[in-house]
Amino acid sequence: MTATAITRAAAITRAALAGTVTLEVARYLPGEDERPYFQSYDVPYHADWVVLDALNYLKDEVDSTLSYRWSCRMGVCGSCGAMVNDVPVLTCAAFLRDYLPGPIRIEPLANFPVERDLVIVLDDFMEKLSTIKPWIIRETEQPLDQGEYLQTPAQLDDFKQFSMCINCMLCYAACPVYQNDEEFLGPAVLALAQRYNHDSRDEGNTERNDVAWLDDGVWDCTFVGECSAVCPKGVDPAGAIQQAKLESTLGWYRSFLTPFGRR
Ligand code: SF4
C-alpha cells in the first residue's frame, strides 16, 4: 500500500469513527445578504453518501432554508452541479469519502450569477443555446408514407457523443474563456451545434454556423480543455470545438472555389 493510500485509509477510518464530516456551504440571498458567506455544518458520515445526500440531510433535518437544485440523483438530469473543493462536479456523483478528512467546501458553479445559495441563474446559457437552433432543421420534409429518416450506425456515431450533453453547466464553470468573456457561446452550446450539424437528417448547418463560426463562437476557444476534463458524460466539448474550427477553415477555403455552394 502506498503512503497516499495509507493516509486516505486513515482519513476514512477517522471519519467513520467520528461519525461526522464538516461541510462549508456557500449561502447568499441577493437583496438581503451583502455578500456570499460560508456556513459550517457537521453531517453524518456514511461511506456510500454523495455530497447531494449530505445536502438533502441538511435541508430535511437541519436547515430548510438551504437552496440548491437536484432531481434524478443518477447523473442524468444535470441539475445538481456545484463547485466542491473548487472543482465543478455533479453532487449526485461526488462521494463524501473522496473529500476526507474534510472540511468539504460547496459553492455554486463558478462563472454564473447566483439566484440563491447554490442555485445559479441559467438565462445566459439558455439565450445562447437558442441561437444555434438545437433541433433538426429540414429544408423539405419527406412524405409521411415514406417512413422515418433512417441512419446507419456510422451516421449515428458521427454525432452521438455530442448528444450525451445533459446541460449540467460544469464545462462553463471550468472554462477560463467564459470566465473572462461573457459573449463567448461556451463549450456546451458549441458541442450541441456540432451534434445537430453532424446529424445526417439535418440540413441547418449554414444557419447554425452563421453563429457558431464567429469570433464569439468557436474562434474564442483557446483549447485549454478543462471543459472536457470536467464533463461527466464524456461529451468532449473541446474536441467538438476543434472539429468545428477545422470545418470552418475548410468552409472558408471552399467558399472561394464554390462561392454559391453550401458550406
Ligand atoms: S458538455 Fe458536458 S459538462 Fe458541458 S453541459 Fe454538456 S454534459 Fe455538462
Side-chain angles (χ1 to χ4, degrees):
M1 201 183 249
T2 65
T4 310
I6 292 170
T7 307
R8 269 198 51 70
I12 292 172
T13 305
R14 271 200 306 279
L17 289 174
T20 61
V21 63
T22 302
L23 303 190
E24 294 176 348
V25 184
R27 307 297 309 268
Y28 183 45
L29 185 51
E32 262 185 40
D33 298 325
E34 210 167 289
R35 62 181 67 85
Y37 63 95
F38 286 100
Q39 192 160 358
S40 283
Y41 304 93
D42 286 337
V43 298
Y45 171 74
H46 298 283
D48 60 350
W49 268 22
V50 291
V51 171
L52 180 59
D53 290 321
L55 290 174
N56 284 342
Y57 168 83
L58 286 179
K59 179 88 175 174
D60 292 345
E61 307 291 337
V62 181
D63 186 347
S64 62
T65 68
L66 180 62
S67 296
Y68 53 99
R69 287 197 182 102
W70 67 284
S71 181
C72 74
R73 301 174 65 141
M74 53 187 178
V76 174
C77 74
S79 60
C80 71
M83 306 298 291
V84 177
N85 287 359
D86 291 327
V87 177
V89 294
L90 296 180
T91 57
C92 70
F95 284 90
L96 295 180
R97 62 176 183 256
D98 291 333
Y99 298 95
L100 293 178
I104 304 171
R105 186 161 270 215
I106 306 165
E107 300 169 80
L109 285 175
N111 304 336
F112 290 93
V114 174
E115 183 92 44
R116 176 175 178 147
D117 296 338
L118 303 177
V119 178
I120 56 168
V121 180
L122 286 166
D123 295 2
D124 183 58
F125 169 73
M126 298 307 289
E127 282 164 22
K128 286 172 177 166
L129 182 60
S130 67
T131 66
I132 57 97
K133 304 187 177 180
W135 55 81
I136 288 175
I137 298 170
R138 298 283 309 174
E139 288 173 2
T140 53
E141 292 290 351
Q142 70 184 21
L144 282 178
D145 60 10
Q146 287 185 23
E148 66 271 50
Y149 295 94
L150 298 176
Q151 289 183 313
T152 65
Q155 286 172 325
L156 179 62
D157 276 351
D158 198 24
F159 69 88
K160 187 175 177 202
Q161 178 181 7
F162 306 142
S163 75
M164 303 308 283
C165 176
I166 55 173
N167 298 351
C168 68
M169 300 296 98
L170 303 196
C171 53
Y172 283 73
C175 176
V177 178
Y178 187 66
Q179 181 182 36
N180 291 304
D181 179 1
E182 61 184 23
E183 300 301 321
F184 180 41
L185 290 179
V189 164
L190 293 168
L192 285 164
Q194 288 302 91
R195 176 259 174 270
Y196 289 95
N197 281 347
H198 279 243
D199 191 317
S200 58
R201 300 164 295 183
D202 182 81
E203 298 173 331
N205 291 31
T206 306
E207 291 174 52
R208 227 171 266 122
N209 292 339
D210 281 345
V211 178
W213 286 2
L214 300 181
D215 286 347
D216 293 328
V218 295
W219 295 105
D220 230 356
C221 171
T222 55
F223 200 23
V224 172
E226 280 301 305
C227 55
S228 294
V230 301
C231 177
K233 306 305 284 187
V235 172
D236 189 13
I241 293 170
Q242 306 324 302
Q243 182 188 57
K245 283 180 181 173
L246 179 63
E247 290 165 1
S248 169
T249 306
L250 291 173
W252 185 77
Y253 281 115
R254 209 173 289 132
S255 68
F256 291 104
L257 300 173
T258 55
F260 304 108
R262 282 169 60 87
R263 277 182 282 183

